[in-house]
Amino acid sequence: QLQLVESGGGLVQPGGSLRLSCAASGFTLDEYAIGWFRQAPEKGREGVSCISSDGRPYYLNSVKGRFASSRDNAKNTVYLQMNSLQPEDTGVYYCAAVKVCGGKVDYWGQGAQVTVSS
C-alpha cells in the first residue's frame, strides 16, 4: 500500500517548537519533492513549505526563519521543524508527495493536528 504517514503534531505554547515527520510506505521518497500544507479552522488549505528531491527548501513568507524542512532519504522520511510557533500556525498539517514543488499531488499524508495555545 502506497502511503505517507505523518507524526509529531500536538499542543504547544506560543514560542514553542514541534517537529513533524512524514514517512513513506510502499514507495521511495527520493524521486519526489515533498510539500507541507496546513488548513486552519474555517480556512482553505495553504502551502507552507516544499523541499525538492535534491533538498532545496521553499517556504511561505510567514514561516521563513521559523520553519525548516529537511529530508533523510535513507530513512525515507521528510521533516518539518517548526520553531517560534504562534497561534496563527494552528491547523492540520499535511505532507504531500509531488514530482516538483508546486505540481500536482500524487500522495497525501493523513494530517497531523498542531495547536498553538497558552
Side-chain angles (χ1 to χ4, degrees), residues 44-111:
R45 192 173 294 185
E46 67 175 349
V48 174
S49 176
C50 186
I51 184 165
S52 67
S53 58
D54 60 357
R56 286 172 294 165
Y58 304 91
Y59 301 102
L60 184 67
N61 281 341
S62 62
V63 307
K64 280 182 182 176
R66 300 189 297 122
F67 289 15
S69 185
S70 61
R71 59 194 304 151
D72 186 338
N73 288 340
K75 294 183 178 180
N76 219 23
T77 302
V78 172
Y79 305 96
L80 183 67
Q81 177 68 43
M82 303 183 293
N83 300 323
S84 301
L85 283 161
Q86 300 302 317
E88 52 267 32
D89 295 315
T90 293
V92 180
Y93 283 68
Y94 299 89
C95 64
V98 296
K99 288 298 187 184
V100 294
C101 288
K104 172 183 162 294
V105 174
D106 286 346
Y107 306 105
W108 285 100
Q110 84 280 10

